[in-house]
Amino acid sequence: MQRTSAILLVAALVLAGLSGWLLWRTANNAPLGPGAEQSVSLGGPFALIDQNGRPKTDRDFHGRWTLLYFGYTYCPDVCPTTLAMIEKALAKMGPPAQAVTPVFVSVDPERDTPSVLKAYLKSFGPQFVGLTGSPAQVAQVAKAYRVYYAKQTLPGGTYAVEHSSVIYLLDPKGRLVKVYDDQTQSADLAKDLNAVIASGAG
Ligand code: NI
């Protein structure tokens, strides 16, 4: 990913929007009970294909805490760094990590076939789920999470994909609980996830 100011701007806007939303919810003491998802403008249903070629929807992740991150396997820097950070955080969490599924959603479905995802995720551990799909399926889930991504042509006929870089935490009912940026340290993420899971907040 090329870290242009455009990406940083989009990421800042996304984070600002999310922060505003979370502050608003806190200020209004909005209940996070049944039906709360109707007032949430971020996230929602999706239908994709996992790294084993099996169809997966958002409902397949219900019952577990999910860390959702969008990127692509050819990403030279931010994606592997962020996935490695998540892997370290899970290792630092101890037993509660067993309730967390890290999910990597490709924004480069043209190159990221299930088998490419499978090979790529092997280096980050067996707990990782990779998701890809048709360009339309990927566009749908990216839009639901306000994820920006755009192809950038590179010399030699290849391309990179600029994309926003935000980690989304979903509760066991599939609702967005909070977001982390890609500068989050593994120890901080581990500590925060353990606190959120222990509180049962969602
Ligand atoms: Ni990336």
Side-chain angles (χ1 to χ4, degrees), residues 1 69-72 75-80 161 163 165:
M1 181 178 85
Y69 182 71
F70 294 76
Y72 68 117
C75 181
D77 41 39
V78 177
C79 289
V161 182
H163 63 93
S165 184

Side-chain angles (χ1 to χ4, degrees), residues 134-148:
S134 68
Q137 286 174 316
V138 167
Q140 183 271 324
V141 67
K143 188 179 175 193
Y145 282 89
R146 306 292 190 270
V147 170
Y148 161 84

Side-chain angles (χ1 to χ4, degrees), residues 174-187:
R175 300 172 302 198
L176 178 65
V177 178
K178 62 195 300 182
V179 298
Y180 304 93
D181 70 37
D182 61 17
Q183 300 304 302
T184 304
Q185 300 297 304
S186 61

